């Protein structure tokens, strides 16, 4: 990627047996793919884990926001 400024890209993923779509900027998709490789798990499995963690929050953000927050918290 040449610039981080790009509108979100929508992709379909499967979480817990159901399909959903997530819109993230390409930079975050790249970071998420790298995190899945580091965690040695499929991308959908990592997204499902993030989803399960966010649902346990007292005030859960949307899934895309939770993914962005997880990436920032786990790449510092």
């Amino acid at each position: 990627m040449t610039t981080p400024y790009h509108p979100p890209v929508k992709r379909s993923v499967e979480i817990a047996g159901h399909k959903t779509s997530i819109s993230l900027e390409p930079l975050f998709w790249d970071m998420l793919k790298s995190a899945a490789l580091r965690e040695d798990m499929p991308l959908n499995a990592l997204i499902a884990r993030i989803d399960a963690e966010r649902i346990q929050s007292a005030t859960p953000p949307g899934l895309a926001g939770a993914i962005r927050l997880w990436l920032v918290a786990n790449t510092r």
Side-chain angles (χ1 to χ4, degrees), residues 21-75:
S21 59
I22 302 169
S23 293
L24 293 171
E25 294 77 6
L27 173 67
F28 288 109
W29 281 117
D30 292 345
M31 291 173 69
L32 191 58
K33 289 177 196 171
S34 294
L37 286 172
R38 272 193 320 276
E39 300 281 329
D40 193 29
M41 61 191 332
L43 184 64
N44 284 359
L46 178 57
I47 293 171
R49 188 173 92 191
I50 295 167
D51 187 43
E53 289 175 11
R54 95 178 161 94
I55 290 170
Q56 294 177 13
S57 171
T59 54
L63 182 54
I67 290 169
R68 289 183 189 98
L69 291 167
W70 187 92
L71 288 167
V72 169
N74 287 280
T75 56

Side-chain angles (χ1 to χ4, degrees), residues 10-15 18-23 29 63-64:
K10 186 180 282 193
R11 298 205 177 141
S12 294
V13 297
E14 189 169 320
I15 302 172
H18 71 277
K19 289 191 178 192
T20 189
S21 59
I22 302 169
S23 293
W29 281 117
L63 182 54

